[in-house]
Every structure is written in C-alpha cells, then in structure tokens.
Amino acid sequence: MKKRIYIGRRIPQAAVDLIAEHCDYGYWNALEPCPRDVFLAEAAQSDAVITQSVSEKIDLEFLNAAPRCKVVAQMAVGYDNVDVPACTARGVQITNTPDVLTEATADAAWALLMATARRVVSGHKLIQENRWGMWHPFFQLGQDVHGATLGVVGAGRIGSAIARRGKGFNMPILYHNRRPSPELEASLGAQYRALDDLLREADFVVMSAPLTSETRGMFGAREFALMKDTAVFINIARGAVMQEKALYEALKAGRPWAAGSDVYEVEPTPASNPLFTLDNFVGTPHVASATLPTRLAMATLAARNAIAVLSGKPPITPVNKI
Ligand code: GLV
C-alpha cells in the first residue's frame, strides 16, 4: 500500500508534485491554517504530515489522535511547537528545514538592523503624515552601523550568517553561544563573550538562538538595562525569548536606544501591541524566511524528508534520533 502524507497548508506546487510522485496525499490547499479537528483526523489516516511551526501543535493530543503517523516534516527550522521528547518516545521522526533558509533569514535580520539603526520606518511615516517640516542637522539622527560592534546571541547557522554580513560593514564581532565556536573565531575573528559582557559591549545585539527552556524570557528588564543607551536590539528568533512588556518599558526609557523584531509573544500580534506606539521600534510580521526561492527550498526539503523516511531511508535533516 502506498504511504500517505498530509500537507497541512498550501505550499509551493513543486513540493506537492514531488510528494505526488511518491505517495498518496491529502492537502489543506488554503492559505488559512487547517482547523485542528480536520488536521487531527487527516493525520490519523496518514503516515506523515507536513507542518508549519506557527500553526500546528505536535503534542500528546496529536500523538494520541494519530498513532499511524510516524513522520512530522516541519517546514521551518524552529520546532518549539513540537513536543520532541514525546514524539521520540512514540518513535515519531521529526525533521526541520535548516540551511535552506539561513541566508534569507540573515538578510531579514539585517533589514531590521538597518531599518532600526537608520530610522527608516519613522522617516517614511513622517513623510506619509506630512510631518517632515524643517530639516536641521539633528533631524532623524540614527546610529552608525559601519564599524560598530555586532553582538550575536546564538551563533549557529543563522547567527553566523548574520555575523558574516557584519564583516562587510567593518564590524568587530562578539558572540554568545552555549559553547565557543572556534570556526567563527577563525573565520571572522569573532570573540566569545559571556552574555552580560556581550550586552554591555555590543552596539547591536542580535538574538538568533532557538526558543528553549534556557532562552525563554532571556531578554528582560535586567538584560536591557545592561545594554548601552545607544544600542539596538534585534530579535529574529522567537517572541518568547524576550519579555515584551520589559522591552516596551526599556525602549520608552531609552535603553536600548531602539529595537527591531520579526517575532512576538503572541502571533499575529495585534495593532494594539504597545511596541507599535513607539518610534524606536520596528516590527515585521514573522517573515524572515519569506522569499519565494527560500519557501520553495523549505517545502521541497520538508517533502524530501517525509518521502525519505517513508521509503525506509534516513531523514535528510532530522531533529530527533529514532
Ligand atoms: C521560522 O520561524 C522558522 O523557524 O523557520
């Protein structure tokens, strides 16, 4: 009998075609997320599911509802929506899509960094609202990016790609990781710092570590108070790594000087999120990997992971060991 894959959201057609070549499939062919009851019922009749980190929760309820499903092929690098130990205990293979989104995500981190440092959004808004008024030498002053110190928290694939871009701006690179990275030190001259030291020294603090029990709530009032009053904080990781209320208070008080984020404690974040009342905050709606070539590569890799495991081959990018 052919194996069945359920695709829980519209994905690039080439990935659907690839799945169709190898397996039967069900498809929630819509931009809106699949309702939970439909997803669980479809997963129950499938050997694998293709999931999105922002919409499908892979928890005990899922595992109990879908005992036939042995592969969760996530179309994202992050997998904080997945109860990995519970899946491993049930023999469910989790895969993700690292590498293929690294460069697009690093570009997006830099888009936020530049926009925040040079006040791109507040400048755009003031023209839109007819508030340009008089130019003067202190009008819309930003922070220098070139030559400033870049501090990357979580120097994995994405953090390293962000750091690499910093070299083009002549930036000394500091990084904080669970463990030192001799490669990063050799290739970029990056220097390891304890977190507090990095926060004190960096002009740009970019958070790119995954959400784990260690990083949840990592950036709060204490951490923001350690930053310079000219510093810029960028969050390209997950909303829950920062305490949004503390960030709001810190930005209002002017330390750090500004912040940019692609991610929020609750998504979609509402327009009433107080961060969006601040001129020194720039937000994007969780779109760091949102380019068509990258999304195509992510969808194709998720499909290839599911197909590989269902054909008895090793997964290409496994999260857990089964
Ligand atoms: C996006 O947030 C991802 O984890 O790929």
Side-chain angles (χ1 to χ4, degrees), residues 6-321:
Y6 188 63
I7 310 164
R9 189 80 78 93
R10 181 173 302 160
I11 60 174
Q13 187 58 37
V16 180
D17 294 344
L18 183 63
I19 287 171
E21 270 174 41
H22 294 86
C23 301
D24 288 333
Y25 71 99
Y27 189 16
W28 185 260
N29 185 2
L31 297 177
E32 292 73 33
C34 182
R36 180 74 172 170
D37 56 335
V38 175
F39 178 68
L40 293 181
E42 290 284 353
Q45 302 169 48
S46 304
D47 303 286
V49 285
I50 307 281
T51 54
Q52 307 294 332
S53 65
V54 295
S55 47
E56 278 79 53
K57 244 193 143 26
I58 304 299
D59 53 8
L60 276 178
E61 183 190 35
F62 169 87
L63 293 170
N64 291 335
R68 172 176 158 189
C69 184
K70 289 295 175 213
V71 190
V72 172
Q74 176 125 300
M75 190 181 134
V77 68
Y79 46 85
D80 44 281
N81 58 316
V82 178
D83 184 339
V84 178
C87 289
T88 307
R90 302 270 182 109
V92 174
Q93 178 69 63
I94 312 298
T95 63
N96 65 343
T97 58
D99 300 318
V100 292
L101 48 60
T102 297
E103 300 301 330
T105 305
D107 288 348
W110 267 85
L112 272 174
L113 189 156
M114 295 295 281
T116 308
R118 298 306 305 268
R119 307 183 67 175
V120 172
V121 177
S122 74
H124 180 89
K125 238 165 68 186
L126 74 81
I127 295 173
Q128 224 171 22
E129 294 166 5
N130 210 21
R131 290 188 289 113
W132 185 338
M134 178 188 66
W135 184 95
H136 57 82
F138 303 97
F139 182 52
Q140 284 286 101
L141 294 184
Q143 299 293 340
D144 276 334
V145 176
H146 66 277
T149 298
L150 176 61
V152 176
V153 179
R157 298 174 180 91
I158 294 170
S160 300
I162 292 167
R164 196 166 9 90
R165 283 158 174 73
K167 291 313 283 182
F169 285 78
N170 288 329
M171 298 172 95
I173 314 289
L174 306 178
Y175 74 100
H176 176 76
N177 239 0
R178 268 173 301 185
R179 50 193 105 67
S181 163
E183 307 84 65
L184 206 60
E185 295 181 12
S187 60
L188 300 183
Q191 293 183 27
Y192 180 85
R193 288 287 187 279
L195 182 63
D196 286 3
D197 292 336
L198 181 146
L199 299 178
R200 282 191 198 99
E201 288 179 49
D203 298 304
F204 292 88
V205 176
V206 182
M207 173 54 170
S208 66
L211 175 63
T212 63
S213 52
E214 278 167 71
T215 59
R216 185 174 292 278
M218 185 173 188
F219 289 88
R222 182 186 161 279
E223 287 67 31
F224 295 129
L226 287 175
M227 294 181 192
K228 298 181 183 180
D229 61 4
T230 50
V232 172
F233 171 66
I234 301 293
N235 183 3
I236 199 78
R238 284 290 183 268
V241 303
M242 65 186 181
Q243 300 168 32
E244 272 181 28
K245 198 165 174 317
L247 178 60
Y248 170 76
E249 296 299 340
L251 287 172
K252 247 178 57 169
R255 186 187 296 270
W257 178 80
S261 187
D262 187 45
V263 285
Y264 306 89
E265 283 172 351
V266 175
E267 294 181 5
T269 201
S272 59
N273 182 335
L275 287 171
F276 285 83
T277 64
L278 299 173
D279 240 19
N280 56 347
F281 177 79
V282 175
T284 47
H286 201 152
V287 288
S289 64
T291 69
L292 197 52
T294 296
R295 288 286 155 82
L296 175 60
M298 291 164 70
T300 307
L301 178 55
R304 287 175 60 221
N305 268 316
I307 294 163
V309 179
L310 295 185
S311 328
K313 299 193 186 111
I316 302 151
T317 47
V319 166
N320 58 350
K321 204 166 152 57

